[in-house]
Amino acid sequence: MDDNTNEKVTPLLAVAWERYAQYDAFAVKRSHSQLRLRSWVSIVGVMATLFAILLQIHPFQSDDLVSWIFKVLLITSPILGSILAAFSSRFYGNADWLTVRAGAEEILKEIYNFRTILQDHADRRAYLEGCLQEIQRQVYRGLGGQAVMQAFTGKLPPYYQANDPQSDPGFKDLNGEEYFSFRVQNQLGYHTQKVNKFQRERIRLQWFILAAGGAGAFLAALGGAFSLWVALTASTTTALIGWQELRNLDATVRNYSKVILELTIISDHWKNLGAEERSTAEYYQMVQSTESILWSQNVEYIKSMQEALTSAKGGEENLVARVLRQSVEQDQEARETSADSAG
């Protein structure tokens, strides 16, 4: 663990960051591996069509090396595609990275509750420890009892950048200004950058799909020998549409846009408050609203995990909700006292 703060590191908080980093690394690696595998399945399918066309153009001749190459590739491509598809279904079909991602985001939410809303509460260590235990059990059950992960050996927190003023060192308790910078502004910038990246990818995919479809129509209109290539453009279009559906870019852009809107509203409200108006109740409300928005974004694509990860907190008012309610009551009492004194 890198020494990125001069303050004493709370052992429990270090454990929470380590568990978050472990889950996050697993989810990122598995997600990227699944996408790479699915992309190769699509590519092999398109290549099989290409080899079939080339074999039609260059008929097989037993004494011709090129013919043998085309024939071998034509035979092996569907086999390879089937193997890749079966492997993807067997080892990635349960979408285990979504289960682990849900656990990582839940831990991150509780880390910020620990360092903000609960920072002066005597029971916060017991609360966070209980959350960590329950989240790990839920992830274990969600993975079907096969939680095979590598230990995390990098720096903690995993995304801390010392040269970035909005990057959170991760271990000290936060005041309102620090939370606003490290969490609200940081996440607003992150989601703005990502939504623009996803939008560019979505536009590129749409152009590629239109281009492939247009090329197919043009080749069909030419007729003759060109008609053979319509099959290639059709398979390319199908592969691109399948990739677009897999990436789920339309829903992702809508989801991130909603997060940006809500975080912008929170940011504007905090900026518009005067120094004397930035009370504990306002601070805690900012934390609660921000964490709820970010967690809701996560739930959008992991709805199946929502009930499992929150079931332990259902029914009874949990510690975070109780502290929030008390802070609002105390702030109201202080305002009334101040008004009486002024009167």
Side-chain angles (χ1 to χ4, degrees):
M1 180 178 66
D2 289 0
D3 183 14
N4 53 28
T5 178
N6 293 326
E7 299 198 9
K8 183 179 179 181
V9 173
T10 304
L12 178 60
L13 198 53
V15 170
W17 276 119
E18 182 180 356
R19 204 58 56 234
Y20 163 78
Q22 181 187 32
Y23 284 3
D24 176 76
F26 176 90
V28 170
K29 182 179 179 180
R30 291 283 291 176
S31 175
H32 288 173
S33 297
Q34 183 261 356
L35 285 175
R36 275 198 306 271
L37 193 57
R38 289 293 298 270
S39 68
W40 275 110
V41 171
S42 299
I43 291 171
V44 169
V46 173
M47 295 304 294
T49 305
L50 174 62
F51 297 141
I53 294 172
L54 292 176
L55 198 59
Q56 288 290 324
I57 296 174
H58 188 92
F60 177 71
Q61 298 176 10
S62 59
D63 59 345
D64 187 354
L65 179 60
V66 175
S67 294
W68 275 107
I69 292 175
F70 287 164
K71 190 170 183 64
V72 169
L73 291 175
L74 176 61
I75 294 172
T76 57
S77 295
I79 296 174
L80 179 59
S82 298
I83 293 173
L84 291 175
F87 184 86
S88 176
S89 177
R90 175 65 179 83
F91 293 99
Y92 294 91
N94 62 349
D96 54 0
W97 64 92
L98 294 179
T99 299
V100 180
R101 169 56 58 198
E105 295 303 323
E106 183 82 350
I107 290 173
L108 189 61
K109 177 168 69 74
E110 298 302 347
I111 285 174
Y112 278 102
N113 284 332
F114 180 88
R115 299 168 62 205
T116 55
I117 295 172
L118 302 179
Q119 61 183 268
D120 296 322
H121 203 283
D123 295 335
R124 70 169 180 164
R125 287 180 59 191
Y127 174 80
L128 180 58
E129 185 174 3
C131 287
L132 288 176
Q133 292 172 359
E134 183 59 29
I135 291 168
Q136 290 179 83
R137 291 190 180 105
Q138 295 288 1
V139 169
Y140 174 79
R141 287 192 288 268
L143 294 176
Q146 301 185 51
V148 182
M149 301 184 199
Q150 294 182 346
F152 184 80
T153 58
K155 66 179 182 179
L156 296 176
Y159 298 110
Y160 173 62
Q161 300 293 332
N163 58 348
D164 182 358
Q166 290 184 351
S167 186
D168 183 6
F171 291 99
K172 61 174 290 190
D173 290 340
L174 303 176
N175 59 35
E177 294 301 325
E178 290 169 332
Y179 179 84
F180 178 74
S181 176
F182 294 157
R183 190 66 165 153
V184 179
Q185 293 292 86
N186 178 280
Q187 287 297 304
L188 184 56
Y190 169 81
H191 282 86
T192 300
Q193 180 183 19
K194 293 291 285 186
V195 77
N196 282 282
K197 177 183 176 182
F198 289 138
Q199 176 66 4
R200 289 193 296 270
E201 182 180 353
R202 181 168 67 164
I203 292 173
R204 281 198 304 270
L205 272 173
Q206 290 172 345
W207 274 113
F208 289 154
I209 291 170
L210 290 173
F218 178 73
L219 291 170
L222 290 177
F226 293 102
S227 299
L228 281 173
W229 295 96
V230 174
L232 180 63
T233 61
S235 64
T236 301
T237 302
T238 301
L240 289 171
I241 292 174
W243 181 254
Q244 185 181 47
E245 293 175 351
L246 178 66
R247 294 289 286 149
N248 199 23
L249 292 172
D250 291 341
T252 301
V253 169
R254 287 195 300 270
N255 190 6
Y256 275 55
S257 298
K258 183 67 162 62
V259 173
I260 292 170
L261 169 65
E262 297 298 337
L263 289 181
T264 299
I265 291 172
I266 292 173
S267 175
D268 291 346
H269 176 70
W270 183 259
K271 288 178 180 178
N272 289 333
L273 293 174
E276 70 285 351
E277 296 176 308
R278 293 180 178 179
S279 62
T280 300
E282 286 284 359
Y283 167 34
Y284 287 176
Q285 183 57 48
M286 173 175 63
V287 173
Q288 178 71 355
S289 299
T290 301
E291 297 306 323
S292 295
I293 289 165
L294 294 174
W295 176 242
S296 295
Q297 176 213 4
N298 180 61
V299 170
E300 284 295 322
Y301 65 92
I302 318 175
K303 290 182 179 179
S304 62
M305 284 298 298
Q306 183 181 21
E307 183 177 353
L309 292 176
T310 59
S311 60
K313 301 178 183 179
E316 193 173 322
E317 185 183 36
N318 64 47
L319 182 59
V320 173
R322 186 163 68 250
V323 174
L324 280 168
R325 176 176 51 78
Q326 291 172 351
S327 71
V328 174
E329 293 173 353
Q330 291 168 0
D331 185 57
Q332 183 62 31
E333 291 175 1
R335 290 175 184 273
E336 292 174 356
T337 303
S338 177
D340 292 341
S341 299

